[in-house]
Amino acid sequence: MARAISWHGQGARLVLEARNQSSRITSITARQVLVTVPLPILQQNRLRFDPPLPPAKQQGIAALAMGQVTKIVLRFSQAFWGELRLLTCDGPIPSFWPVESATVPTLMGYIGGPPALQLAAQGEPAALARTLEQLSSYFGPQVHAAFISGRMIDWSQDPWTLGAYTYTPLGAGNARARLAAALPPTLFFAGEATCTNGHLATVHGAIESGRRAAAELLRYASGA
Ligand SMILES: Cc1cc2nc3c(=O)[nH]c(=O)nc-3n(C[C@H](O)[C@H](O)[C@H](O)COP(=O)(O)OP(=O)(O)OC[C@H]3O[C@@H](n4cnc5c(N)ncnc54)[C@H](O)[C@@H]3O)c2cc1C
């Protein structure tokens, strides 16, 4: 993982730390760097810049926010939900859908925003019990009878993202453009948080931003 970037007009030096081997530090040099780490990595200075990023860039980073998601995956011995494609409800977990690619009948529960953190704070056993209870209120005792196993995925605790996907708080209208702006000729920025065309928080938005940043990078690489 990248820990630090020293940058200047002629290039940059990246300090890298090997995954699971915190003592193995290496560094590489590059003429240009494309930064695509998730927003909280920048907000929490987990990737340091020397010199620090300019004030406009820092304002953009600080003004945006990372949203939270908790997922509950449940495996069952039978698909008691029939032809269900998507269940939206008023319960603690507001939506469920069958995981079509699973080899055994599997339901995915999805919850976003502050309630996602509240559910995750209960811990996996309590969150699973609560979810089964909710499903039982719709489908009856067959839920517990068919239950095999479950997992909770708390994206706020994922060290590589520290959240799910970004949103724009009130008053932060120009923050994405500030985050996206290149610092030519050396630093370029991409990732869903840099999307200014409405495709934020999506895979296609992240891909589009990568294409935009790659074009910027090549423009400066060729000196045009
Ligand atoms: C639960 C959930 C469901 C989603 N569902 C959908 C969906 O159905 N459709 C859709 O379009 N989008 C969905 N998204 C959103 C989509 O996954 C993201 O918008 C997209 O992955 C963002 O891409 P990205 O490249 O900006 O960031 P990421 O995909 O997060 O990539 C950033 C990369 O940076 C790496 N990284 C972090 N820190 C460092 C470091 N210090 N050094 C080096 N590398 C580092 C990470 O490991 C990661 O590989 C979902 C997201 C979540 C969380």
Side-chain angles (χ1 to χ4, degrees), residues 19-48:
R19 281 189 200 210
N20 304 323
Q21 296 179 41
S22 52
S23 57
R24 247 193 80 204
I25 307 277
T26 54
S27 73
I28 55 172
T29 56
R31 275 191 298 144
Q32 295 175 297
V33 179
L34 176 51
V35 179
T36 67
V37 294
L39 179 70
I41 305 293
L42 298 173
Q43 288 178 325
Q44 297 179 21
N45 280 324
R46 294 192 183 208
L47 176 58
R48 296 182 307 281

PDB file of all heavy atoms in Angstrom, residues 19-48:
ATOM      1  N   ARG A  19       1.673  -5.322   2.075  1.00  0.00           N
ATOM      2  CA  ARG A  19       0.513  -5.824   2.814  1.00  0.00           C
ATOM      3  C   ARG A  19       0.953  -6.930   3.761  1.00  0.00           C
ATOM      4  O   ARG A  19       1.723  -7.803   3.372  1.00  0.00           O
ATOM      5  CB  ARG A  19      -0.521  -6.427   1.866  1.00  0.00           C
ATOM      6  CG  ARG A  19      -1.369  -5.418   1.166  1.00  0.00           C
ATOM      7  CD  ARG A  19      -2.486  -6.167   0.452  1.00  0.00           C
ATOM      8  NE  ARG A  19      -3.024  -5.322  -0.598  1.00  0.00           N
ATOM      9  CZ  ARG A  19      -4.292  -5.395  -0.988  1.00  0.00           C
ATOM     10  NH1 ARG A  19      -5.111  -6.244  -0.448  1.00  0.00           N
ATOM     11  NH2 ARG A  19      -4.723  -4.615  -1.948  1.00  0.00           N
ATOM     12  N   ASN A  20       0.474  -6.922   4.980  1.00  0.00           N
ATOM     13  CA  ASN A  20       0.737  -7.954   5.997  1.00  0.00           C
ATOM     14  C   ASN A  20       2.216  -8.046   6.388  1.00  0.00           C
ATOM     15  O   ASN A  20       2.620  -8.960   7.047  1.00  0.00           O
ATOM     16  CB  ASN A  20       0.271  -9.336   5.524  1.00  0.00           C
ATOM     17  CG  ASN A  20      -1.188  -9.308   5.142  1.00  0.00           C
ATOM     18  OD1 ASN A  20      -1.966  -8.609   5.791  1.00  0.00           O
ATOM     19  ND2 ASN A  20      -1.544 -10.034   4.100  1.00  0.00           N
ATOM     20  N   GLN A  21       3.037  -7.137   5.913  1.00  0.00           N
ATOM     21  CA  GLN A  21       4.453  -7.154   6.323  1.00  0.00           C
ATOM     22  C   GLN A  21       4.837  -5.715   6.617  1.00  0.00           C
ATOM     23  O   GLN A  21       5.584  -5.093   5.872  1.00  0.00           O
ATOM     24  CB  GLN A  21       5.336  -7.687   5.204  1.00  0.00           C
ATOM     25  CG  GLN A  21       5.060  -9.137   4.827  1.00  0.00           C
ATOM     26  CD  GLN A  21       5.964  -9.557   3.690  1.00  0.00           C
ATOM     27  OE1 GLN A  21       7.130  -9.228   3.655  1.00  0.00           O
ATOM     28  NE2 GLN A  21       5.417 -10.293   2.736  1.00  0.00           N
ATOM     29  N   SER A  22       4.353  -5.210   7.738  1.00  0.00           N
ATOM     30  CA  SER A  22       4.469  -3.782   7.974  1.00  0.00           C
ATOM     31  C   SER A  22       5.917  -3.304   8.043  1.00  0.00           C
ATOM     32  O   SER A  22       6.188  -2.128   7.948  1.00  0.00           O
ATOM     33  CB  SER A  22       3.728  -3.398   9.253  1.00  0.00           C
ATOM     34  OG  SER A  22       4.167  -4.231  10.291  1.00  0.00           O
ATOM     35  N   SER A  23       6.869  -4.251   8.223  1.00  0.00           N
ATOM     36  CA  SER A  23       8.251  -3.800   8.315  1.00  0.00           C
ATOM     37  C   SER A  23       8.880  -3.622   6.922  1.00  0.00           C
ATOM     38  O   SER A  23       9.932  -3.024   6.791  1.00  0.00           O
ATOM     39  CB  SER A  23       9.069  -4.805   9.132  1.00  0.00           C
ATOM     40  OG  SER A  23       8.961  -6.069   8.529  1.00  0.00           O
ATOM     41  N   ARG A  24       8.248  -4.170   5.889  1.00  0.00           N
ATOM     42  CA  ARG A  24       8.870  -4.099   4.550  1.00  0.00           C
ATOM     43  C   ARG A  24       8.463  -2.818   3.825  1.00  0.00           C
ATOM     44  O   ARG A  24       7.401  -2.721   3.241  1.00  0.00           O
ATOM     45  CB  ARG A  24       8.453  -5.315   3.726  1.00  0.00           C
ATOM     46  CG  ARG A  24       9.624  -6.229   3.450  1.00  0.00           C
ATOM     47  CD  ARG A  24       9.297  -7.254   2.399  1.00  0.00           C
ATOM     48  NE  ARG A  24       9.392  -6.732   1.054  1.00  0.00           N
ATOM     49  CZ  ARG A  24       8.746  -7.249   0.007  1.00  0.00           C
ATOM     50  NH1 ARG A  24       7.940  -8.259   0.172  1.00  0.00           N
ATOM     51  NH2 ARG A  24       8.907  -6.735  -1.194  1.00  0.00           N
ATOM     52  N   ILE A  25       9.321  -1.845   3.882  1.00  0.00           N
ATOM     53  CA  ILE A  25       9.059  -0.552   3.253  1.00  0.00           C
ATOM     54  C   ILE A  25       9.931  -0.435   2.015  1.00  0.00           C
ATOM     55  O   ILE A  25      11.124  -0.722   2.068  1.00  0.00           O
ATOM     56  CB  ILE A  25       9.408   0.607   4.218  1.00  0.00           C
ATOM     57  CG1 ILE A  25       8.711   0.432   5.566  1.00  0.00           C
ATOM     58  CG2 ILE A  25       9.076   1.944   3.584  1.00  0.00           C
ATOM     59  CD1 ILE A  25       7.321   0.903   5.650  1.00  0.00           C
ATOM     60  N   THR A  26       9.338  -0.054   0.916  1.00  0.00           N
ATOM     61  CA  THR A  26      10.124   0.194  -0.288  1.00  0.00           C
ATOM     62  C   THR A  26       9.705   1.545  -0.859  1.00  0.00           C
ATOM     63  O   THR A  26       8.716   2.130  -0.411  1.00  0.00           O
ATOM     64  CB  THR A  26       9.869  -0.878  -1.367  1.00  0.00           C
ATOM     65  OG1 THR A  26       8.468  -0.936  -1.606  1.00  0.00           O
ATOM     66  CG2 THR A  26      10.372  -2.238  -0.944  1.00  0.00           C
ATOM     67  N   SER A  27      10.413   2.002  -1.835  1.00  0.00           N
ATOM     68  CA  SER A  27       9.981   3.244  -2.492  1.00  0.00           C
ATOM     69  C   SER A  27      10.247   3.123  -3.986  1.00  0.00           C
ATOM     70  O   SER A  27      11.141   2.385  -4.425  1.00  0.00           O
ATOM     71  CB  SER A  27      10.698   4.456  -1.903  1.00  0.00           C
ATOM     72  OG  SER A  27      12.028   4.488  -2.314  1.00  0.00           O
ATOM     73  N   ILE A  28       9.426   3.812  -4.742  1.00  0.00           N
ATOM     74  CA  ILE A  28       9.620   3.855  -6.191  1.00  0.00           C
ATOM     75  C   ILE A  28       9.510   5.308  -6.642  1.00  0.00           C
ATOM     76  O   ILE A  28       8.870   6.123  -5.963  1.00  0.00           O
ATOM     77  CB  ILE A  28       8.578   2.995  -6.958  1.00  0.00           C
ATOM     78  CG1 ILE A  28       7.141   3.411  -6.596  1.00  0.00           C
ATOM     79  CG2 ILE A  28       8.802   1.526  -6.724  1.00  0.00           C
ATOM     80  CD1 ILE A  28       6.093   2.745  -7.467  1.00  0.00           C
ATOM     81  N   THR A  29      10.095   5.595  -7.768  1.00  0.00           N
ATOM     82  CA  THR A  29       9.959   6.939  -8.319  1.00  0.00           C
ATOM     83  C   THR A  29       9.130   6.860  -9.597  1.00  0.00           C
ATOM     84  O   THR A  29       9.061   5.816 -10.249  1.00  0.00           O
ATOM     85  CB  THR A  29      11.335   7.564  -8.645  1.00  0.00           C
ATOM     86  OG1 THR A  29      12.026   6.673  -9.526  1.00  0.00           O
ATOM     87  CG2 THR A  29      12.147   7.780  -7.396  1.00  0.00           C
ATOM     88  N   ALA A  30       8.467   7.954  -9.897  1.00  0.00           N
ATOM     89  CA  ALA A  30       7.616   8.000 -11.092  1.00  0.00           C
ATOM     90  C   ALA A  30       7.573   9.432 -11.607  1.00  0.00           C
ATOM     91  O   ALA A  30       7.701  10.385 -10.831  1.00  0.00           O
ATOM     92  CB  ALA A  30       6.209   7.516 -10.748  1.00  0.00           C
ATOM     93  N   ARG A  31       7.400   9.543 -12.907  1.00  0.00           N
ATOM     94  CA  ARG A  31       7.261  10.899 -13.458  1.00  0.00           C
ATOM     95  C   ARG A  31       5.873  11.455 -13.179  1.00  0.00           C
ATOM     96  O   ARG A  31       5.675  12.639 -12.989  1.00  0.00           O
ATOM     97  CB  ARG A  31       7.521  10.884 -14.974  1.00  0.00           C
ATOM     98  CG  ARG A  31       9.005  10.996 -15.306  1.00  0.00           C
ATOM     99  CD  ARG A  31       9.229  11.242 -16.762  1.00  0.00           C
ATOM    100  NE  ARG A  31       8.728  10.131 -17.566  1.00  0.00           N
ATOM    101  CZ  ARG A  31       8.163  10.255 -18.755  1.00  0.00           C
ATOM    102  NH1 ARG A  31       8.011  11.455 -19.288  1.00  0.00           N
ATOM    103  NH2 ARG A  31       7.750   9.201 -19.417  1.00  0.00           N
ATOM    104  N   GLN A  32       4.860  10.568 -13.172  1.00  0.00           N
ATOM    105  CA  GLN A  32       3.480  10.987 -12.936  1.00  0.00           C
ATOM    106  C   GLN A  32       2.808   9.960 -12.036  1.00  0.00           C
ATOM    107  O   GLN A  32       3.112   8.771 -12.094  1.00  0.00           O
ATOM    108  CB  GLN A  32       2.723  11.071 -14.259  1.00  0.00           C
ATOM    109  CG  GLN A  32       3.267  12.157 -15.186  1.00  0.00           C
ATOM    110  CD  GLN A  32       2.564  12.117 -16.529  1.00  0.00           C
ATOM    111  OE1 GLN A  32       2.663  11.127 -17.240  1.00  0.00           O
ATOM    112  NE2 GLN A  32       1.866  13.186 -16.850  1.00  0.00           N
ATOM    113  N   VAL A  33       1.862  10.418 -11.218  1.00  0.00           N
ATOM    114  CA  VAL A  33       1.152   9.527 -10.294  1.00  0.00           C
ATOM    115  C   VAL A  33      -0.341   9.775 -10.434  1.00  0.00           C
ATOM    116  O   VAL A  33      -0.799  10.929 -10.416  1.00  0.00           O
ATOM    117  CB  VAL A  33       1.571   9.785  -8.827  1.00  0.00           C
ATOM    118  CG1 VAL A  33       0.803   8.857  -7.882  1.00  0.00           C
ATOM    119  CG2 VAL A  33       3.072   9.584  -8.659  1.00  0.00           C
ATOM    120  N   LEU A  34      -1.107   8.682 -10.567  1.00  0.00           N
ATOM    121  CA  LEU A  34      -2.572   8.776 -10.596  1.00  0.00           C
ATOM    122  C   LEU A  34      -3.093   8.262  -9.247  1.00  0.00           C
ATOM    123  O   LEU A  34      -2.937   7.086  -8.929  1.00  0.00           O
ATOM    124  CB  LEU A  34      -3.125   7.944 -11.757  1.00  0.00           C
ATOM    125  CG  LEU A  34      -4.638   7.849 -11.903  1.00  0.00           C
ATOM    126  CD1 LEU A  34      -5.292   9.219 -11.878  1.00  0.00           C
ATOM    127  CD2 LEU A  34      -4.991   7.117 -13.194  1.00  0.00           C
ATOM    128  N   VAL A  35      -3.689   9.141  -8.489  1.00  0.00           N
ATOM    129  CA  VAL A  35      -4.173   8.815  -7.135  1.00  0.00           C
ATOM    130  C   VAL A  35      -5.637   8.390  -7.231  1.00  0.00           C
ATOM    131  O   VAL A  35      -6.483   9.172  -7.687  1.00  0.00           O
ATOM    132  CB  VAL A  35      -4.032  10.047  -6.211  1.00  0.00           C
ATOM    133  CG1 VAL A  35      -4.556   9.724  -4.806  1.00  0.00           C
ATOM    134  CG2 VAL A  35      -2.580  10.515  -6.147  1.00  0.00           C
ATOM    135  N   THR A  36      -5.936   7.165  -6.801  1.00  0.00           N
ATOM    136  CA  THR A  36      -7.327   6.680  -6.892  1.00  0.00           C
ATOM    137  C   THR A  36      -7.802   6.083  -5.561  1.00  0.00           C
ATOM    138  O   THR A  36      -8.785   5.350  -5.537  1.00  0.00           O
ATOM    139  CB  THR A  36      -7.483   5.597  -7.990  1.00  0.00           C
ATOM    140  OG1 THR A  36      -6.767   4.431  -7.583  1.00  0.00           O
ATOM    141  CG2 THR A  36      -6.957   6.069  -9.328  1.00  0.00           C
ATOM    142  N   VAL A  37      -7.118   6.389  -4.466  1.00  0.00           N
ATOM    143  CA  VAL A  37      -7.531   5.802  -3.182  1.00  0.00           C
ATOM    144  C   VAL A  37      -8.883   6.372  -2.761  1.00  0.00           C
ATOM    145  O   VAL A  37      -9.235   7.499  -3.111  1.00  0.00           O
ATOM    146  CB  VAL A  37      -6.478   6.052  -2.077  1.00  0.00           C
ATOM    147  CG1 VAL A  37      -5.189   5.330  -2.390  1.00  0.00           C
ATOM    148  CG2 VAL A  37      -6.241   7.539  -1.857  1.00  0.00           C
ATOM    149  N   PRO A  38      -9.673   5.608  -1.999  1.00  0.00           N
ATOM    150  CA  PRO A  38     -10.968   6.111  -1.549  1.00  0.00           C
ATOM    151  C   PRO A  38     -10.834   7.368  -0.672  1.00  0.00           C
ATOM    152  O   PRO A  38      -9.810   7.566  -0.007  1.00  0.00           O
ATOM    153  CB  PRO A  38     -11.535   4.939  -0.733  1.00  0.00           C
ATOM    154  CG  PRO A  38     -10.863   3.728  -1.300  1.00  0.00           C
ATOM    155  CD  PRO A  38      -9.477   4.188  -1.648  1.00  0.00           C
ATOM    156  N   LEU A  39     -11.876   8.176  -0.666  1.00  0.00           N
ATOM    157  CA  LEU A  39     -11.870   9.473   0.025  1.00  0.00           C
ATOM    158  C   LEU A  39     -11.350   9.417   1.472  1.00  0.00           C
ATOM    159  O   LEU A  39     -10.508  10.247   1.852  1.00  0.00           O
ATOM    160  CB  LEU A  39     -13.296  10.049  -0.014  1.00  0.00           C
ATOM    161  CG  LEU A  39     -13.498  11.388   0.683  1.00  0.00           C
ATOM    162  CD1 LEU A  39     -12.809  12.518  -0.063  1.00  0.00           C
ATOM    163  CD2 LEU A  39     -14.995  11.679   0.837  1.00  0.00           C
ATOM    164  N   PRO A  40     -11.813   8.479   2.327  1.00  0.00           N
ATOM    165  CA  PRO A  40     -11.360   8.522   3.722  1.00  0.00           C
ATOM    166  C   PRO A  40      -9.865   8.315   3.895  1.00  0.00           C
ATOM    167  O   PRO A  40      -9.277   8.760   4.876  1.00  0.00           O
ATOM    168  CB  PRO A  40     -12.146   7.378   4.383  1.00  0.00           C
ATOM    169  CG  PRO A  40     -13.324   7.159   3.508  1.00  0.00           C
ATOM    170  CD  PRO A  40     -12.842   7.447   2.126  1.00  0.00           C
ATOM    171  N   ILE A  41      -9.240   7.626   2.925  1.00  0.00           N
ATOM    172  CA  ILE A  41      -7.779   7.430   2.999  1.00  0.00           C
ATOM    173  C   ILE A  41      -7.099   8.801   2.921  1.00  0.00           C
ATOM    174  O   ILE A  41      -6.121   9.068   3.621  1.00  0.00           O
ATOM    175  CB  ILE A  41      -7.289   6.527   1.839  1.00  0.00           C
ATOM    176  CG1 ILE A  41      -8.047   5.192   1.826  1.00  0.00           C
ATOM    177  CG2 ILE A  41      -5.775   6.326   1.891  1.00  0.00           C
ATOM    178  CD1 ILE A  41      -7.802   4.280   2.981  1.00  0.00           C
ATOM    179  N   LEU A  42      -7.665   9.690   2.082  1.00  0.00           N
ATOM    180  CA  LEU A  42      -7.126  11.049   1.973  1.00  0.00           C
ATOM    181  C   LEU A  42      -7.536  11.879   3.181  1.00  0.00           C
ATOM    182  O   LEU A  42      -6.728  12.624   3.742  1.00  0.00           O
ATOM    183  CB  LEU A  42      -7.635  11.709   0.685  1.00  0.00           C
ATOM    184  CG  LEU A  42      -7.222  11.015  -0.625  1.00  0.00           C
ATOM    185  CD1 LEU A  42      -7.920  11.668  -1.818  1.00  0.00           C
ATOM    186  CD2 LEU A  42      -5.706  11.074  -0.811  1.00  0.00           C
ATOM    187  N   GLN A  43      -8.793  11.755   3.602  1.00  0.00           N
ATOM    188  CA  GLN A  43      -9.276  12.578   4.717  1.00  0.00           C
ATOM    189  C   GLN A  43      -8.516  12.282   6.007  1.00  0.00           C
ATOM    190  O   GLN A  43      -8.297  13.176   6.821  1.00  0.00           O
ATOM    191  CB  GLN A  43     -10.773  12.324   4.933  1.00  0.00           C
ATOM    192  CG  GLN A  43     -11.647  12.912   3.839  1.00  0.00           C
ATOM    193  CD  GLN A  43     -13.113  12.609   4.032  1.00  0.00           C
ATOM    194  OE1 GLN A  43     -13.486  11.535   4.504  1.00  0.00           O
ATOM    195  NE2 GLN A  43     -13.969  13.546   3.648  1.00  0.00           N
ATOM    196  N   GLN A  44      -8.154  11.017   6.196  1.00  0.00           N
ATOM    197  CA  GLN A  44      -7.486  10.625   7.443  1.00  0.00           C
ATOM    198  C   GLN A  44      -5.961  10.604   7.322  1.00  0.00           C
ATOM    199  O   GLN A  44      -5.277  10.050   8.185  1.00  0.00           O
ATOM    200  CB  GLN A  44      -8.003   9.251   7.888  1.00  0.00           C
ATOM    201  CG  GLN A  44      -9.492   9.267   8.196  1.00  0.00           C
ATOM    202  CD  GLN A  44     -10.012   7.904   8.615  1.00  0.00           C
ATOM    203  OE1 GLN A  44      -9.270   7.032   9.044  1.00  0.00           O
ATOM    204  NE2 GLN A  44     -11.316   7.706   8.493  1.00  0.00           N
ATOM    205  N   ASN A  45      -5.472  11.205   6.223  1.00  0.00           N
ATOM    206  CA  ASN A  45      -4.013  11.285   6.001  1.00  0.00           C
ATOM    207  C   ASN A  45      -3.327   9.927   6.069  1.00  0.00           C
ATOM    208  O   ASN A  45      -2.190   9.825   6.521  1.00  0.00           O
ATOM    209  CB  ASN A  45      -3.363  12.231   7.023  1.00  0.00           C
ATOM    210  CG  ASN A  45      -3.553  13.662   6.620  1.00  0.00           C
ATOM    211  OD1 ASN A  45      -3.534  13.988   5.427  1.00  0.00           O
ATOM    212  ND2 ASN A  45      -3.794  14.513   7.597  1.00  0.00           N
ATOM    213  N   ARG A  46      -4.022   8.872   5.657  1.00  0.00           N
ATOM    214  CA  ARG A  46      -3.374   7.555   5.611  1.00  0.00           C
ATOM    215  C   ARG A  46      -2.426   7.481   4.424  1.00  0.00           C
ATOM    216  O   ARG A  46      -1.606   6.581   4.329  1.00  0.00           O
ATOM    217  CB  ARG A  46      -4.427   6.455   5.546  1.00  0.00           C
ATOM    218  CG  ARG A  46      -5.244   6.416   6.832  1.00  0.00           C
ATOM    219  CD  ARG A  46      -6.084   5.187   6.924  1.00  0.00           C
ATOM    220  NE  ARG A  46      -6.892   5.224   8.120  1.00  0.00           N
ATOM    221  CZ  ARG A  46      -7.317   4.149   8.773  1.00  0.00           C
ATOM    222  NH1 ARG A  46      -7.008   2.952   8.324  1.00  0.00           N
ATOM    223  NH2 ARG A  46      -8.058   4.248   9.854  1.00  0.00           N
ATOM    224  N   LEU A  47      -2.596   8.382   3.484  1.00  0.00           N
ATOM    225  CA  LEU A  47      -1.640   8.589   2.402  1.00  0.00           C
ATOM    226  C   LEU A  47      -1.186  10.046   2.526  1.00  0.00           C
ATOM    227  O   LEU A  47      -1.981  10.968   2.341  1.00  0.00           O
ATOM    228  CB  LEU A  47      -2.318   8.329   1.045  1.00  0.00           C
ATOM    229  CG  LEU A  47      -1.487   8.586  -0.203  1.00  0.00           C
ATOM    230  CD1 LEU A  47      -0.216   7.740  -0.196  1.00  0.00           C
ATOM    231  CD2 LEU A  47      -2.299   8.300  -1.462  1.00  0.00           C
ATOM    232  N   ARG A  48       0.094  10.218   2.880  1.00  0.00           N
ATOM    233  CA  ARG A  48       0.586  11.567   3.154  1.00  0.00           C
ATOM    234  C   ARG A  48       1.235  12.162   1.906  1.00  0.00           C
ATOM    235  O   ARG A  48       1.811  11.428   1.096  1.00  0.00           O
ATOM    236  CB  ARG A  48       1.601  11.534   4.302  1.00  0.00           C
ATOM    237  CG  ARG A  48       1.000  11.087   5.623  1.00  0.00           C
ATOM    238  CD  ARG A  48       2.056  11.114   6.735  1.00  0.00           C
ATOM    239  NE  ARG A  48       3.269  10.373   6.389  1.00  0.00           N
ATOM    240  CZ  ARG A  48       3.372   9.044   6.464  1.00  0.00           C
ATOM    241  NH1 ARG A  48       2.357   8.322   6.863  1.00  0.00           N
ATOM    242  NH2 ARG A  48       4.505   8.448   6.131  1.00  0.00           N
TER     243      ARG A  48
END
